[in-house]
Amino acid sequence: MSTVRWAWIFLDTPAPDAEASWRFWSEVTRTSVAPTRGDDGEFSTLVPPRGGAWVKLQAVGDPSGGVHLDLDVDDVHTEAARAESLGAERVGAIGDTVVVLRSPGGFTFCLTTYRGEEGDGLVREGLEVALDQVCLDVPRAAWDVEAAFWPALTGWELRDSDEPGFAYLVRPGELAVRLLLQRVEEDDGQVRGHVDLACADRAAETQRHVAAGASVVREHHFWTVMADPVGRVYCLTSRSPQPPPGR
């Protein structure tokens, strides 16, 4: 049974680039940027027109930026101890509400206290595009441990994708965020992550993203690799923004 009550995608952007990055992501996801919060205004949220949010924004000091996951649970310390027993490494904590960890392959994620922030819940109807997936880029040496860790941590079933070299976790129907694992060509190294968008019309979305300041990196038959105006790599996919249950 899943212990995850809600999941958040965090876009971590170097502070000097945050304003441009947040403006871009708001435009291409058809969301609005919530009022900033935090001591230095370093946090915000992408708020959809209807229903609950699932993407948060953070201005960070790390010049490389990146992406991480926050998993809302009822008891962060109990779940953090369980994550450690599964092979995660504890990095730090913020009071009794947040525990920062790394997966066995080195991907950073947080266990955070569930507060019902999803509001009115997930609304998929009418979506033409959804920033709803974190893809973990997993070197060969880390594949087996990562493929065992994430289903054990979340309680979500891992299934092979129709695309060779990919596997995905079956998210509960009430959650927005999907987790995909991709076996990359490197033999070893740290697990990285990028975000994927589900598109009703990938060609049209590609044009929209380019008009907003993104660039096309390369095309594949089912996805297009893009770079946003501040250099963040992400993918537009032909996956439906309104998927059938379990997808």
Side-chain angles (χ1 to χ4, degrees):
M1 182 178 179
S2 174
T3 60
V4 177
R5 301 289 298 276
W6 194 250
W8 299 91
I9 297 172
F10 256 87
L11 298 177
D12 302 320
T13 305
D17 296 331
E19 183 178 354
S21 177
W22 295 6
R23 185 169 58 248
F24 169 81
W25 285 106
S26 171
E27 178 178 349
V28 297
T29 59
R30 299 174 173 87
T31 57
S32 59
V33 178
T36 58
R37 56 191 182 277
D39 293 341
D40 298 309
E42 69 271 32
F43 294 103
S44 188
T45 301
L46 293 181
V47 181
R50 296 182 297 145
W54 64 86
V55 180
K56 290 186 176 181
L57 308 166
Q58 182 175 10
V60 298
D62 183 345
S64 60
V67 60
H68 76 268
L69 280 170
D70 273 15
L71 303 177
D72 282 1
V73 296
D74 289 323
D75 186 325
V76 294
H77 291 292
T78 296
E79 291 303 320
R82 191 172 70 85
E84 289 180 287
S85 75
L86 296 171
E89 175 189 1
R90 186 185 294 242
V91 177
I94 303 173
D96 291 324
T97 61
V98 180
V99 179
V100 184
L101 302 111
R102 292 192 188 97
S103 73
F107 182 75
T108 299
F109 67 99
C110 297
L111 295 173
T112 45
T113 301
Y114 176 69
R115 301 186 184 280
E117 290 182 80
E118 73 281 10
D120 296 328
L122 173 64
V123 176
R124 295 190 196 275
E125 292 78 12
L127 288 181
E128 296 180 20
V129 63
L131 195 175
D132 67 343
Q133 181 166 270
V134 172
C135 179
L136 301 184
D137 301 314
V138 184
R140 297 176 189 274
W143 179 263
D144 288 343
V145 292
E146 290 290 295
F149 173 76
W150 290 103
L153 177 71
T154 60
W156 305 351
E157 178 189 357
L158 183 72
R159 294 182 184 172
D160 288 334
S161 171
D162 295 335
E163 297 290 330
F166 291 84
Y168 65 94
L169 278 85
V170 180
R171 60 187 168 191
E174 68 273 14
L175 297 188
V177 177
R178 188 176 190 259
L179 189 59
L180 181 73
L181 277 63
Q182 175 180 203
R183 193 195 308 264
V184 296
E185 293 300 320
E186 297 99 305
D187 288 330
D188 54 28
Q190 185 168 308
V191 175
R192 307 178 301 276
H194 67 267
V195 295
D196 293 339
L197 288 79
C199 305
D201 184 336
R202 179 161 56 102
E205 288 302 325
T206 300
Q207 292 179 357
R208 286 186 65 249
H209 283 236
V210 169
S215 57
V216 175
V217 178
R218 59 185 173 273
E219 292 270 4
H220 296 269
H221 75 284
F222 191 75
W223 68 94
T224 303
V225 183
M226 308 287 293
D228 78 1
V230 302
R232 181 194 311 276
V233 173
Y234 65 99
C235 292
L236 300 175
T237 78
S238 294
R239 196 168 39 83
S240 172
Q242 295 140 52
R247 299 291 291 187

